[in-house]
Amino acid sequence: MEIKRRDFIKLVGGTSVSLAVGGCAMDEVLEIPDRLIHRVRTGPGIETWKNTICGLCPGGCGISVRMVDGLPVSIRGNPHYPVNLGGMCSLGLNALHMLYHPDRLKGPMKRTANPGSGRWEPITWDEALKIIAERLTELRGGQKSRQVAVLGYDERGLMEQHIARFMKAYGSPNYFRFSPSQNDMVPHSLLHGHSRIPAYDFLNAKLIVSFGSNFLGEGYSPVYYTKLYSHHRELQTQYIQVESRMSLTAANADKWVPIRPGTYGALALGIAYVLIREELYDARFVGGSTFGFEDWADRSGSRHLGFRSIVLGNYYPEKVSEITGVPTAAILELGRLLGNTPKSLVLGDGGAVDNTNGTFAQMAVQSLNALLGNYEAEGGVFFTDQAPVRPLPDVEVDAVAAAGSRSEPLTSSRDVPFPLSDFSIESFAKNILADSPYPLSVLFLYHGNPLFQTLNHLDFAGALKKIPLVVSFDSIINETSEYAHLILPEHTFLESWGEISDVPTVGFSHFGIQQPVVEPLHDTRGTGDVFTELARRVGGTVKSAAAFTDYREEVRYAAEGLFRSGQGAVVAKGQKQPWIEFLQRRGWQTGRYATFDEFWEQLLLNGGWWNPARKKKNLDELFTTPSGKFEFFSQRLNSEFNRLLLKLDETGSSRNLESVLSRLNISARGDNAMMPHHEAVPYEGDRPMYLVTFQVMPNRDGAGAALPLMQELFGYSVHSPWESWAEIHPETAAAAGVSNDDWVWVESSIGNVRVKAKITPGIMPDVVAIPFGMGHTSYGRYARGHGVNPNTIMRNLHDLVSGKPALEATKVRISRTS
Amino acid sequence: MAKWAMAIDLDRCTGCGACMAACKMENNVPIVEPDEALQGRVMHWMDMITEYGGDYPGIEIKRMPKPCFHCDNPPCTRVCPVGATYRNEEGLVAQVYHRCIGCRYCMVACPFTAKVFNWKDPAWIEGASTCFNPDVSRRMVGVVEKCTFCSHRLMKVKETADEEDRPINDGEYVPACAEICPADAIYFGDIEDKGSSVYKMSGDYRASRVMEDLGVEPKVYYLVKRTR
Amino acid sequence: MPMLNWPRVARFTVNIILFVMPVFMVSCAFVSDDDVKQPIAYNHRVHIENAGLKCQECHLYVETMASATLPSIEICRTCHETAPLSESQEELALLKYVSEEKEIPWVNIYQVPDHVYFSHRRHVVGGELECSACHGMVSAMTAPVTSAFLEVTMENCMDCHRSKNVSNDCLSCHR
């Protein structure tokens, strides 16, 4: 100790490097290039701030990066950006560690041995692109352009268009995304006719009942909702959370209603029963703007039961109570509270939709908003306008591309399941393994980590092994990119151009601009530019997808639409919503920019554009269903079933709706199947506990695990750093002889995981909850080997309609490890 | 003379933990090795306390961010044998790392366990890529550290205010946690200034301090509805 | 509570002997090291008297930032672009750095430890101190600085603060 201290004192006297920067051995610890370190060592310590948008989750918070002599040293929220107004979450605050991460790839890599061997050798960009471009050219020459696929993740807006344009010009129908929120829009499209996720007028609502939606912790934009929530505390808005586990949102709600997993839809219908029976629903909206509420007759004269009859006949509170475990009195109370409180709002997500019956449950939850007449009402549900970005120019499509794009996508199932999913990794893996309807030759993996995040890891791993060329853009090698042949590492979001606009559920249209705050630290490239370069190298009409010199130009081009629209304003200090609305009503120009160049400059300086003024829509222009109304009876789902019926006809099977439903594993029969209903989840009977999972703020979708600080904060709520845990109710723990911090086995029919028990009263007695995000076997030195991945013990079940993973459909048993 | 104080509105706070991360990044607080962390040696200047109440299903969970309370009558400073911790004129309880001999008496004396100890050389775990805040020195093995109310920010704010020959404005000097709180739940300022938000908050009917009966006069006020 | 002062004084003294003194000794030993060799035999006098340069024309940020900064090669370049201005061998060495776009590896003599916040701006502008108060008569120096005029020690800082009635509270400088 004594000696060490003396050593230290020497260090203080001897090797401090700079007045401005307090690092004594910074270069040894940081992965910062020498040129930057030199600048910081000798520089004056000039502090600058640069605005951009956080890229670590889909939330799209505006951030200000603090730089000392050009080196990013910390991040704070952009106080003027309307999504987060200066607020931040722990993950975003830690984004610089992603920039300086020691396991970031320094340049393109080529795998030299088996997947998972960790044996890679560096390769130049030119060589890597040459290999890919040659393969792409060869396939295209052989009319096999459809054998190329891109598996994206959560990209939206411009990047999605960018990849889609490449695939269109090249000639493949196989561009998919698989993010956790993938297929979220399916139930909405069945009810509303269009695939837009509704936004909720939280600001004016007086009562918010959330079915499983942990919007403060796991929503699209937790910081946005946290701002709204804290604002509400002054307005006495009431929050009620229906959930099996006391999530962050439930813990902050005024009331928590525990519910058995997989029964959210039944509760929503039980509440509908109360609203209908006690005539607390909005008869004007239901009468004028909905379809299928009352009994009705179709064109052939057949009678159909309406929503009212079905709900009154099947979902009386005693029965619902039996299904859900929610006391009858509580159901009545919830229904009456919703019906009698003006501006009451209902939303569903998370556990309510992450199950085999998720689509029907979400339909049931949204039906409550229809009964309450919430559409376009103050404190209700609405659909935001899209930011008026300039559409990208069309690409040229030659005969090869046209034929390729017309092919059946590789995700469409030979079998019937998941009629409405945009993408199901289940079908995708099966098709690749079966070369059906054609083999896959090249797969690009853009973001995401399907082998960690999805349920059927083994199938998809097999599929990856089979594909001759897998290209990943990851900057840190993860479970999935272990299988890639080539990795073309992408810039972090702090080094690249991009935009994050119109985040779903955020209540106004906005456009956030991502710009490099620092020159790239390593030999990485933006993926937008890589696709452009590939388009150039393949040549011919594919080159039309490379219309812009670089991705920055493309972002600039898109942003010009905002300027030309004359709407909204660049975010700036002191802009408050009412003020802007006032100015716009008066027809005043809110921005101080005469030319697009000035607009662009302001955009980069301030970080984004927004338009809080939204024209109220008429109810008859709201829905694009066949009836033009909110459909309790989904005609789209009905025609989808009929389409499948024809498909079954071709294969010579039996010919009625029942056969379609049974092939889909849907237990409802007749009109019920097209309407919101409770579909029992096929739980296994021999295990007593339901397994539920949740995301924590420092980790989100598993990506935070690469960051040491986020690993330390992973279990901040239960004091469990670097470790997974299982939340168990005290009674259950006592019965199983488990004490706090004991190691327990959580065992399903698929497998088991060993976790620490955390005894908490905030969970139902027959539910065990394990956080998602740990248990990596790859993804850098800090992620690997800590905690468990609960997805590995889940049954491979998906939403019967949308194909979304069923994360709460597994039952488990717990036991102490001896 | 200003007297710096904090008020945390627990009715607004959701317990998201952003303040903990902001604090660690701002103050170069070491990330300890995972096995050390599991032994309870995690270093948080801003910690999060979880309290459970009520009977199932009427369970209440309240999470409470907990920085150093910068007591006006601090017990920790009295026990320090080497004068490494003291309360200055502006009410900040300071920790002088280079005087600290690591006896940890102050950690024992603090009723709120606000202090943490560097059990190891702060290597930030092997190869950790941490970007350091140049405004805050890094500590060494064998010393106690704790929340400073980001006093390094105060130095700079004072310099600017003096240069412009004016007093420090309310909200000009705030610690990192208050700056980024997504729920705007943390108020910070000069409690002697009757126009400051923290003065108003500390007088709110919901305001109280932790373990007020100890007489240590904490300068962190918690606001919570009395009924909860 | 005057009685409490005695133990405090005693503690303070013990501390100085045990901990602060070694810091001084070690740091003094370092900064006054005669072995310091600067890469170029820079002549302050020539630049100040003959070329008429002001301190802040090379130490750019002395009035605006915490750190005054050593000049970067770009600043040298504004005068020493291509042809030498003198017959000095040292200037040729400089021109080599300039043409290669390499920074000159000056040995930093006045180093403040990282746990101290020292602001030139505050001392020069706010405190109205002359540069020479700490750095000596630089205008008369014909050789580059190899040792500190005023050693960077806490004692020196505090003496001056005391005489000018400036706060000596730890948190005024330590971070």
Side-chain angles (χ1 to χ4, degrees):
Chain A
M1 178 90 174
E2 191 75 72
I3 293 163
K4 275 203 162 173
R5 220 187 146 75
R6 206 163 285 146
D7 287 346
F8 160 71
I9 288 164
K10 272 186 206 156
L11 200 70
V12 170
T15 59
S16 286
V17 288
S18 153
L19 302 181
V21 168
C24 51
M26 195 163 68
D27 46 338
E28 289 160 25
V29 190
L30 289 168
E31 293 279 330
I32 303 176
D34 290 347
R35 60 178 194 280
L36 286 177
I37 289 181
H38 182 267
R39 201 197 292 165
V40 170
R41 281 187 166 182
T42 56
I46 294 181
E47 185 177 284
T48 49
W49 296 84
K50 207 159 186 183
N51 289 328
T52 186
I53 306 292
C54 179
L56 292 187
C57 94
C61 292
I63 60 173
S64 293
V65 181
R66 176 185 174 213
M67 287 174 295
V68 173
D69 294 336
L71 186 77
V73 296
S74 66
I75 289 179
R76 69 171 185 191
N78 176 352
H80 313 311
Y81 196 70
V83 172
N84 58 317
L85 294 172
M88 286 294 285
C89 77
S90 44
L91 188 58
L93 284 163
N94 201 214
L96 290 180
H97 285 195
M98 212 51 124
L99 178 70
Y100 300 130
H101 200 287
D103 294 323
R104 263 187 78 184
L105 294 176
K106 312 286 183 287
M109 300 295 256
K110 183 181 173 183
R111 181 157 53 78
T112 58
N114 293 332
S117 62
R119 285 167 66 183
W120 300 83
E121 63 178 29
I123 180 174
T124 64
W125 275 99
D126 192 55
E127 278 176 277
L129 290 169
K130 197 171 158 218
I131 293 172
I132 301 164
E134 274 174 7
R135 188 80 189 105
L136 291 178
T137 313
E138 184 191 325
L139 284 168
R140 207 163 185 276
Q143 317 286 317
K144 291 176 185 160
S145 62
R146 63 184 186 176
Q147 294 185 15
V148 175
V150 177
L151 182 54
Y153 184 54
D154 57 2
E155 67 275 11
R156 287 177 284 108
L158 198 60
M159 194 62 199
E160 186 187 354
Q161 280 182 54
H162 185 81
I163 298 175
R165 286 174 88 243
F166 173 83
M167 293 297 271
K168 190 177 170 196
Y170 180 77
S172 167
N174 294 313
Y175 170 36
F176 314 114
R177 293 173 303 140
F178 85 99
S179 79
S181 54
Q182 181 64 32
N183 302 336
D184 266 1
M185 58 288 286
V186 169
H188 298 295
S189 74
L190 297 178
L191 301 171
H192 308 138
H194 49 79
S195 296
R196 286 167 58 193
I197 295 179
Y200 301 95
D201 186 11
F202 261 48
L203 212 53
N204 294 309
K206 288 288 161 223
L207 166 67
I208 294 164
V209 178
S210 153
F211 285 76
S213 174
N214 180 10
F215 49 84
L216 293 181
E218 301 177 42
Y220 279 97
S221 193
V223 174
Y224 171 73
Y225 282 105
T226 304
K227 281 273 164 202
L228 287 172
Y229 167 85
S230 67
H231 176 68
H232 268 165
R233 293 287 93 179
E234 286 174 4
L235 305 179
Q236 313 282 318
T237 304
Q238 207 182 344
Y239 282 78
I240 297 178
Q241 181 80 1
V242 179
E243 209 172 3
S244 312
R245 167 189 173 264
M246 211 164 179
S247 65
L248 191 68
T249 310
N252 286 291
D254 299 283
K255 190 177 177 185
W256 170 50
V257 179
I259 184 171
R260 202 168 283 150
T263 65
Y264 292 84
L267 180 65
L269 294 166
I271 292 169
Y273 177 97
V274 181
L275 293 176
I276 296 170
R277 165 92 347 156
E278 304 195 356
E279 301 201 341
L280 294 170
Y281 63 94
D282 183 338
R284 201 182 49 82
F285 178 85
V286 170
S289 304
T290 68
F291 172 80
F293 182 72
E294 304 290 351
D295 298 351
W296 55 289
D298 61 23
R299 255 179 265 156
S300 66
S302 321
R303 298 289 303 168
H304 296 266
L305 283 181
F307 183 72
R308 174 210 287 272
S309 308
I310 286 180
V311 167
L312 293 183
N314 300 294
Y315 297 100
Y316 47 94
E318 292 76 12
K319 184 178 169 190
V320 168
S321 174
E322 206 171 289
I323 298 171
T324 60
V326 179
T328 313
I331 299 170
L332 290 170
E333 192 195 326
L334 265 173
R336 287 171 187 156
L337 198 59
L338 272 169
N340 290 320
T341 312
K343 300 182 196 168
S344 54
L345 180 60
V346 182
L347 63 153
D349 196 9
V353 299
D354 292 336
N355 218 324
T356 59
N357 60 5
T359 298
F360 297 115
Q362 178 73 294
M363 287 168 79
V365 170
Q366 291 303 326
S367 296
L368 293 178
N369 279 324
L371 289 179
L372 295 166
N374 276 342
Y375 286 87
E376 280 293 321
E378 189 165 278
V381 183
F382 63 101
F383 299 99
T384 50
D385 297 328
Q386 305 286 300
V389 293
R390 189 171 171 195
L392 299 178
D394 271 338
V395 291
E396 269 180 71
V397 177
D398 64 2
V400 182
S405 299
R406 267 200 311 275
S407 309
E408 196 176 349
L410 262 177
T411 189
S412 61
S413 167
R414 300 285 82 198
D415 205 357
V416 190
F418 318 134
L420 288 169
S421 70
D422 295 330
F423 175 71
S424 139
I425 202 149
E426 174 90 0
S427 319
F428 189 51
K430 276 194 181 133
N431 287 343
I432 294 170
L433 287 170
D435 283 340
S436 155
Y438 46 85
L440 183 59
S441 300
V442 180
L443 174 66
F444 293 97
L445 293 164
Y446 178 63
H447 288 183
N449 185 357
L451 284 191
F452 181 80
Q453 292 162 321
T454 59
L455 298 182
N456 49 336
H457 305 79
L458 291 178
D459 270 6
F460 191 61
L464 285 173
K465 269 194 212 160
K466 189 164 184 288
I467 305 166
L469 179 60
V470 178
V471 181
S472 159
F473 300 101
D474 288 330
S475 48
I476 299 173
I477 298 175
N478 63 28
E479 284 80 356
T480 312
S481 36
E482 296 270 10
Y483 285 82
H485 299 93
L486 287 171
I487 302 186
L488 310 177
E490 191 180 35
H491 297 325
T492 61
F493 74 90
L494 293 163
E495 301 159 309
S496 56
W497 288 94
E499 54 79 51
I500 293 189
S501 52
D502 294 336
V503 173
T505 75
V506 169
F508 43 82
S509 63
H510 58 283
F511 181 94
I513 190 128
Q514 276 180 333
Q515 57 180 324
V517 298
V518 62
E519 56 203 281
L521 299 189
H522 306 299
D523 186 17
T524 54
R525 291 191 186 178
T527 300
D529 289 333
V530 173
F531 275 110
T532 304
E533 176 66 20
L534 284 175
R536 283 201 191 107
R537 289 193 183 213
V538 174
T541 52
V542 183
K543 241 171 128 175
S544 66
F548 300 92
T549 46
D550 54 26
Y551 196 60
R552 175 187 177 275
E553 283 307 308
E554 205 165 321
V555 175
R556 201 180 133 96
Y557 181 90
E560 200 168 340
L562 307 173
F563 172 71
R564 288 185 181 181
S565 75
Q567 302 166 9
V570 170
V571 304
K573 196 176 176 176
Q575 267 180 6
K576 291 280 184 273
Q577 184 160 337
W579 173 237
I580 291 199
E581 279 173 14
F582 171 78
L583 288 177
Q584 291 195 334
R585 267 202 306 275
R586 296 292 172 94
W588 289 16
Q589 182 152 14
T590 48
R592 274 169 300 201
Y593 23 79
T595 64
F596 174 60
D597 284 337
E598 280 174 46
F599 175 84
W600 176 251
E601 201 179 297
Q602 289 292 315
L603 197 65
L604 295 188
L605 192 66
N606 293 303
W609 169 98
W610 72 316
N611 184 7
R614 176 181 164 277
K615 207 174 140 265
K616 221 167 148 67
K617 306 275 186 300
N618 289 326
L619 287 177
D620 53 4
E621 52 183 330
L622 219 52
F623 306 111
T624 55
T625 50
S627 62
K629 295 175 174 179
F630 178 95
E631 293 196 342
F632 287 111
F633 177 92
S634 174
Q635 301 192 64
R636 178 166 176 221
L637 192 53
N638 189 33
S639 49
E640 202 59 42
F641 288 153
N642 284 326
R643 193 181 60 80
L644 293 173
L645 190 58
L646 293 175
K647 201 168 166 183
L648 283 184
D649 265 357
E650 282 166 21
T651 56
S653 330
S654 53
R655 294 150 187 272
N656 56 22
L657 178 63
E658 190 166 338
S659 60
V660 173
L661 294 176
S662 60
R663 284 291 288 276
L664 291 173
N665 295 319
I666 294 175
S667 61
R669 287 294 174 266
D671 290 350
N672 244 331
M674 280 67 109
M675 298 176 72
H677 68 272
H678 171 63
E679 183 74 37
V681 177
Y683 287 111
E684 296 164 309
D686 55 344
R687 288 185 169 73
M689 314 261 301
Y690 297 90
L691 173 66
V692 305
T693 58
F694 57 97
Q695 295 181 2
V696 295
M697 293 286 272
N699 188 294
R700 298 304 304 271
D701 61 356
L707 306 168
L709 179 55
M710 294 298 99
Q711 291 283 74
E712 188 177 281
L713 285 175
F714 185 74
Y716 74 94
S717 56
V718 293
H719 290 106
S720 180
W722 296 89
E723 195 54 77
S724 297
W725 70 93
E727 290 179 9
I728 303 171
H729 191 272
E731 284 170 22
T732 315
V738 172
S739 319
N740 207 31
D741 284 342
D742 278 355
W743 288 97
V744 292
W745 287 109
V746 178
E747 176 217 324
S748 76
S749 58
I750 306 297
N752 55 23
V753 291
R754 187 171 166 270
V755 279
K756 236 175 196 181
K758 291 284 178 186
I759 297 173
T760 157
I763 191 163
M764 288 186 87
D766 54 355
V767 173
V768 54
I770 301 179
F772 174 76
M774 284 231 176
H776 281 274
T777 55
S778 180
Y779 200 33
R781 65 190 72 179
Y782 306 117
R784 193 167 42 233
H786 295 286
V788 301
N789 182 357
N791 284 11
T792 57
I793 62 165
M794 280 187 199
R795 294 161 71 206
N796 190 13
L797 292 174
H798 295 79
D799 184 304
L800 302 175
V801 178
S802 75
K804 203 172 151 71
L807 301 177
E808 302 199 347
T810 304
K811 290 192 91 171
V812 294
R813 184 182 291 138
I814 57 161
S815 56
R816 266 184 65 175
T817 61
S818 40
Chain B
M1 187 63 75
K3 201 159 125 186
W4 304 107
M6 184 183 274
I8 304 179
D9 188 337
L10 296 181
D11 292 333
R12 277 172 168 259
C13 170
T14 66
C16 71
C19 48
M20 302 171 78
C23 173
K24 290 206 78 150
M25 296 294 286
E26 175 76 15
N27 291 299
N28 304 329
V29 183
I31 302 163
V32 303
E33 299 273 353
D35 52 337
E36 298 269 310
L38 285 165
Q39 283 177 44
R41 293 179 176 180
V42 177
M43 302 172 79
H44 291 310
W45 287 10
M46 175 64 107
D47 206 348
M48 188 75 76
I49 308 286
T50 306
E51 272 176 34
Y52 296 98
D55 294 317
Y56 184 88
I59 300 293
E60 285 171 3
I61 300 182
K62 198 59 230 176
R63 303 220 161 90
M64 187 176 118
K66 193 201 69 180
C68 169
F69 292 162
H70 292 265
C71 307
D72 265 348
N73 183 16
C76 57
T77 58
R78 290 157 188 262
V79 298
C80 181
V82 293
T85 177
Y86 75 103
R87 179 186 169 279
N88 82 356
E89 285 180 314
E90 292 175 80
L92 297 173
V93 176
Q95 198 75 24
V96 187
Y97 311 121
H98 294 130
R99 282 189 194 165
C100 176
I101 55 169
C103 69
R104 291 180 281 140
Y105 287 4
C106 58
M107 291 175 70
V108 178
C110 174
F112 314 112
T113 61
K115 301 199 172 193
V116 288
F117 185 62
N118 284 280
W119 286 96
K120 291 217 168 147
D121 254 325
W124 276 266
I125 78 175
E126 184 243 334
S129 55
T130 304
C131 43
F132 298 112
N133 181 356
D135 297 341
V136 180
S137 66
R138 287 179 283 161
R139 282 73 60 187
M140 60 303 280
V141 64
V143 305
V144 173
E145 57 181 69
K146 68 163 190 75
C147 160
T148 62
F149 272 173
C150 290
S151 62
H152 56 279
R153 291 187 172 202
L154 177 59
M155 288 181 200
K156 292 195 165 181
V157 169
K158 264 189 190 159
E159 184 175 322
T160 309
D162 284 358
E163 207 89 326
E164 294 166 10
D165 202 20
R166 59 170 174 80
I168 297 171
N169 299 326
D170 188 35
E172 194 177 357
Y173 159 46
V174 291
C177 52
E179 181 181 66
I180 59 82
C181 175
D184 302 317
I186 306 181
Y187 303 85
F188 186 86
D190 177 6
I191 202 166
E192 312 259 273
D193 168 11
K194 296 202 164 44
S196 73
S197 55
V198 74
Y199 174 81
K200 270 179 234 138
M201 285 300 165
S202 65
D204 192 278
Y205 77 98
R206 294 179 298 147
S208 66
R209 294 178 293 180
V210 177
M211 293 192 251
E212 250 165 321
D213 51 334
L214 290 181
V216 298
E217 304 288 328
K219 277 201 297 297
V220 174
Y221 292 81
Y222 286 97
L223 287 90
V224 65
K225 275 201 204 87
R226 291 261 154 85
T227 52
R228 275 171 87 162
Chain C
M1 304 208 289
M3 281 184 63
L4 279 177
N5 280 341
W6 279 110
R8 184 183 258 178
V9 168
R11 279 205 303 261
F12 191 60
T13 316
V14 167
N15 250 305
I16 292 211
I17 294 166
L18 276 179
F19 303 111
V20 184
M21 289 297 278
V23 176
F24 288 165
M25 280 148 60
V26 174
S27 48
C28 295
F30 179 76
V31 290
S32 58
D33 194 340
D34 288 335
D35 294 340
V36 168
K37 182 130 177 54
Q38 296 287 11
I40 292 179
Y42 180 80
N43 185 334
H44 269 100
R45 197 170 77 181
V46 169
H47 286 83
I48 295 168
E49 287 187 359
N50 300 10
L53 289 172
K54 299 262 183 320
C55 301
Q56 62 268 32
E57 285 176 295
C58 294
H59 303 284
L60 287 184
Y61 300 98
V62 68
E63 288 172 344
T64 50
M65 294 280 161
S67 167
T69 69
L70 296 176
S72 75
I73 197 77
E74 289 309 315
I75 290 169
C76 304
R77 192 203 296 278
T78 48
C79 298
H80 305 273
E81 176 83 62
T82 43
L85 304 173
S86 71
E87 284 160 16
S88 157
Q89 284 300 307
E90 294 302 316
E91 195 189 353
L92 293 179
L94 168 73
L95 287 170
K96 192 158 178 286
Y97 282 108
V98 171
S99 66
E100 289 174 2
E101 297 191 4
K102 267 192 186 158
E103 293 295 338
I104 305 165
W106 296 114
V107 179
N108 199 341
I109 302 299
Y110 295 93
Q111 289 184 339
V112 183
D114 69 349
H115 54 275
V116 176
Y117 174 67
F118 176 86
S119 167
H120 273 92
R121 172 194 178 202
R122 186 150 217 199
H123 286 81
V124 175
V125 183
E128 294 175 357
L129 280 183
E130 291 298 326
C131 302
S132 57
C134 302
H135 298 292
M137 286 306 290
V138 176
S139 57
M141 289 180 188
T142 52
V145 183
T146 53
S147 63
F149 171 78
L150 184 74
E151 282 156 15
V152 182
T153 64
M154 192 159 88
E155 194 180 24
N156 283 338
C157 294
M158 289 178 73
D159 278 349
C160 187
H161 274 214
R162 212 171 285 126
S163 69
K164 295 194 183 299
N165 212 8
V166 177
S167 168
N168 259 331
D169 180 40
C170 305
L171 287 186
S172 307
C173 307
H174 288 290
R175 55 186 184 182

